[in-house]
Amino acid sequence: MVEGGALELTEAEIVKALEVAHKGIKELLDIADEVVEAVRQPKMEWVTVEPSADLVARVKALAEDKVTEALTSP
């Protein structure tokens, strides 16, 4: 949406100016897309790391009671 006013231009001249501006903006966006493609980094592959069962058991043994107490204290 474009709003504006002009006292010395006709509506047709303003429409033509907007069309010229629109064309220029599209050219700039095409150039920007080319630049982005030129420097785009490949997406990194995400691999979830699961902790060992021994580590999970040890942390649970050390912290489960304390966490439960903290969560249930008034």
Side-chain angles (χ1 to χ4, degrees):
M1 179 176 180
V2 177
E3 293 184 28
L7 299 176
E8 297 180 10
L9 297 173
T10 66
E11 186 174 331
E13 290 172 320
I14 293 174
V15 169
K16 181 65 178 168
L18 290 172
E19 289 171 352
V20 170
H22 186 247
K23 181 181 175 201
I25 290 169
K26 290 196 309 189
E27 291 173 3
L28 289 173
L29 290 175
D30 289 341
I31 293 169
D33 288 341
E34 290 175 17
V35 170
V36 167
E37 284 302 317
V39 298
R40 185 181 303 272
Q41 297 294 313
K43 289 192 175 186
M44 292 177 24
E45 186 176 322
W46 174 258
V47 179
T48 303
V49 178
E50 294 292 329
S52 68
D54 293 337
L55 178 61
V56 171
R58 185 159 183 225
V59 170
K60 193 171 187 175
L62 291 172
E64 186 174 33
D65 293 338
K66 293 177 183 177
V67 170
T68 302
E69 181 184 338
L71 291 174
T72 57
S73 68

